[in-house]
Amino acid sequence: MLANQQLMLKIGGEEMSPLDAVSTQVSICFDKADTFFKSRFRRSSCDFSQRGRAAGTAHLHKNQIRFNPFMYNQNPQAFLESVVPHEVAHMVVYQIYGLNVKPHGKEWQAVMRKVFGLSPNRTHTFEVPPPKQAFEYHCACQTHQFTKRRHSKAQKGTEYICKLCQSSLKFSIEILNTK
């Protein structure tokens, strides 16, 4: 489903737009944190401006959470149950500890377990959108696809090594995705 299509989701018998559903879930997660910590956390704004491989990103200094519409549309319920608490946990941990903790450290893991009752998974299982432009690199054992950003870094001198064969990755060809 395209990101700009309006996928309506029923929550509690009420139809909601994707952004309303995510915003509601963000509020529910903050309410749970308020109750658990007996404190009132500053609410974050949220939008669907996240792109690429990340399902969501907590921008701590801006008090903003960005969500990926491509991944939301794959499975809205799973997204609401896993990605939204994951990102809100980052905001809660930041508001308690500041930047003195690791992003997925023991504090974040504790919030995921104790506040939201979830396993503290760092990664998602949603499909990622195909890149508009990819660059093929090869090593001694296989081919690798680079994003435009990684290719640019490689062209400027960053050396990438294959985790399997330990040889340097060399540029092969540019691939344009026409989807």
Side-chain angles (χ1 to χ4, degrees), residues 23-83:
S23 296
T24 298
Q25 188 67 15
V26 166
S27 292
I28 290 168
C29 290
F30 272 114
D31 290 345
K32 286 181 180 182
D34 290 348
T35 301
F36 183 87
F37 289 103
K38 296 177 179 60
S39 180
R40 173 101 174 131
F41 290 97
R42 195 163 42 114
R43 290 347 194 212
S44 302
S45 64
C46 59
D47 61 39
F48 274 118
S49 63
Q50 182 66 45
R51 299 288 180 258
R53 304 178 66 83
T57 305
H59 293 269
L60 305 173
H61 291 87
K62 294 179 182 179
N63 197 32
Q64 177 187 47
I65 305 173
R66 296 180 185 163
F67 295 103
N68 190 317
F70 181 85
M71 294 178 194
Y72 172 88
N73 287 335
Q74 290 174 39
N75 187 338
Q77 198 60 46
F79 191 95
L80 293 172
E81 292 170 1
S82 62
V83 177

Side-chain angles (χ1 to χ4, degrees), residues 7-165:
L7 175 69
M8 300 304 280
L9 183 68
K10 279 196 171 188
I11 297 180
E14 182 182 339
E15 279 195 2
M16 293 187 173
S17 71
L19 186 56
D20 287 342
V22 166
S23 296
T24 298
Q25 188 67 15
V26 166
S27 292
I28 290 168
C29 290
F30 272 114
D31 290 345
K32 286 181 180 182
D34 290 348
T35 301
F36 183 87
F37 289 103
K38 296 177 179 60
S39 180
R40 173 101 174 131
F41 290 97
R42 195 163 42 114
R43 290 347 194 212
S44 302
S45 64
C46 59
D47 61 39
F48 274 118
S49 63
Q50 182 66 45
R51 299 288 180 258
R53 304 178 66 83
T57 305
H59 293 269
L60 305 173
H61 291 87
K62 294 179 182 179
N63 197 32
Q64 177 187 47
I65 305 173
R66 296 180 185 163
F67 295 103
N68 190 317
F70 181 85
M71 294 178 194
Y72 172 88
N73 287 335
Q74 290 174 39
N75 187 338
Q77 198 60 46
F79 191 95
L80 293 172
E81 292 170 1
S82 62
V83 177
V84 173
H86 176 117
E87 299 308 331
V88 171
H90 285 300
M91 299 308 293
V92 167
V93 168
Y94 173 69
Q95 289 183 38
I96 295 171
Y97 300 101
L99 294 173
N100 299 323
V101 296
K102 293 181 180 178
H104 295 108
K106 63 183 180 184
E107 297 84 0
W108 176 84
Q109 291 177 29
V111 170
M112 289 296 287
R113 281 191 187 99
K114 294 178 180 178
V115 177
F116 301 128
L118 296 171
S119 178
N121 297 322
R122 292 177 53 193
T123 58
H124 61 78
T125 57
F126 297 101
E127 288 182 34
V128 297
K132 293 180 181 131
Q133 190 176 18
F135 300 85
E136 190 174 281
Y137 280 68
H138 66 275
C139 62
C141 70
Q142 62 182 323
T143 60
H144 305 262
Q145 278 201 2
F146 278 21
T147 61
K148 186 174 183 175
R149 176 179 285 171
R150 183 170 276 194
H151 171 69
S152 178
K153 284 183 167 185
Q155 295 302 295
K156 291 177 183 172
T158 300
E159 184 179 14
Y160 292 95
I161 308 288
C162 176
K163 290 180 181 179
L164 296 175
C165 69

